[in-house]
């Protein structure tokens, strides 16, 4: 009876060990979709004025003069989250090999949202950094641009809407 309990415990630990060895790859582009808000910002922010961007995203963390290509405004966001670390002790029972390991859940990251300004208007939005979550690409950038997507939608700042004025 004791041996049966040990077998069940070892099997449970083996299952946890196998699951904990499944880690999220650094490149999630094949398994994770781009966050819909981050994708919308790439299109809907185009055409916003410098003042509009300051209203919805605040003042940039850094700016760079790109010559004829305009200016690049960078908004830095560092995400520090409480990590959940699960550690399974190494256990060997009889013929069952040693099982153990750990898994880290919800690590932090950072996002540099980069906005190219040409002739006083947004021409391009791009993202850089360790900004992916296991199920969404560019997800750590959303808090920088979500208010701007809403602002653009409310104020009709899409390029087609501006040309009608």
């Amino acid at each position: 009876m004791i041996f049966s309990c040990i077998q069940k415990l070892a099997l449970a630990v083996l299952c946890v060990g196998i699951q904990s060895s499944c880690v999220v790859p650094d490149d999630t582009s094949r398994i994770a979709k781009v966050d819909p808000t981050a994708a919308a910002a790439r299109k809907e922010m185009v055409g916003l004025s410098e003042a509009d961007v300051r209203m919805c995203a605040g003042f940039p963390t850094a700016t760079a003069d790109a010559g004829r290509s305009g200016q690049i405004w960078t908004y830095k966001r560092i995400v520090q989250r409480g990590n959940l670390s699960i550690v399974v002790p190494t256990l060997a029972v009889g013929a069952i090999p040693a099982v153990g390991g750990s898994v880290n859940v919800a690590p932090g990251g950072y996002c540099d949202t980069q906005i190219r300004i040409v002739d006083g208007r947004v021409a391009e939005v791009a993202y850089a950094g360790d900004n992916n979550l296991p199920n969404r690409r560019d997800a750590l950038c959303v808090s920088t641009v979500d208010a701007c997507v809403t602002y653009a939608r409310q104020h009709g700042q899409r390029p087609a809407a501006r040309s009608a004025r």
Side-chain angles (χ1 to χ4, degrees):
M1 182 159 158
I2 293 175
F3 185 72
S4 174
C5 290
I6 292 174
Q7 279 182 322
K8 289 178 184 177
L9 175 64
L11 184 60
V13 170
L14 178 63
C15 289
V16 168
I18 290 171
Q19 287 177 344
S20 69
S21 68
C22 298
V23 294
V24 177
D26 290 336
D27 177 17
T28 60
S29 60
R30 288 187 235 158
I31 56 175
K33 303 294 179 209
V34 174
D35 186 271
T37 304
R42 284 190 167 115
K43 295 175 185 173
E44 297 188 36
M45 285 180 63
V46 171
L48 290 177
S49 70
E50 290 180 9
D52 291 336
V53 174
R54 286 188 191 108
M55 286 296 295
C56 62
F59 288 88
T61 310
T63 60
D65 186 8
R68 291 182 181 170
S69 297
Q71 284 190 325
I72 298 174
W73 292 6
T74 301
Y75 291 84
K76 284 193 166 299
R77 178 166 188 263
I78 298 172
V79 178
Q80 296 176 339
R81 288 180 259 172
N83 285 341
L84 171 64
S85 208
I86 301 170
V87 178
V88 178
T90 302
L91 177 68
V93 178
I96 299 174
V99 176
S102 66
V103 63
N104 231 353
V105 181
Y110 71 96
C111 175
D112 289 345
T113 300
Q114 298 165 162
I115 301 172
R116 183 185 308 275
I117 306 286
V118 177
D119 296 329
R121 299 228 171 245
V122 174
E124 181 182 10
V125 176
Y127 309 106
D130 181 12
N131 54 18
N132 296 337
L133 292 179
N135 60 346
R136 289 278 184 238
R137 291 190 342 238
D138 299 330
L140 296 183
C141 305
V142 169
S143 65
T144 303
V145 296
D146 61 348
C148 290
V149 170
T150 301
Y151 187 91
R153 289 174 180 167
Q154 288 175 347
H155 293 87
Q157 293 293 323
R158 292 187 182 167
R162 264 197 341 276
S163 62
R165 288 183 183 170

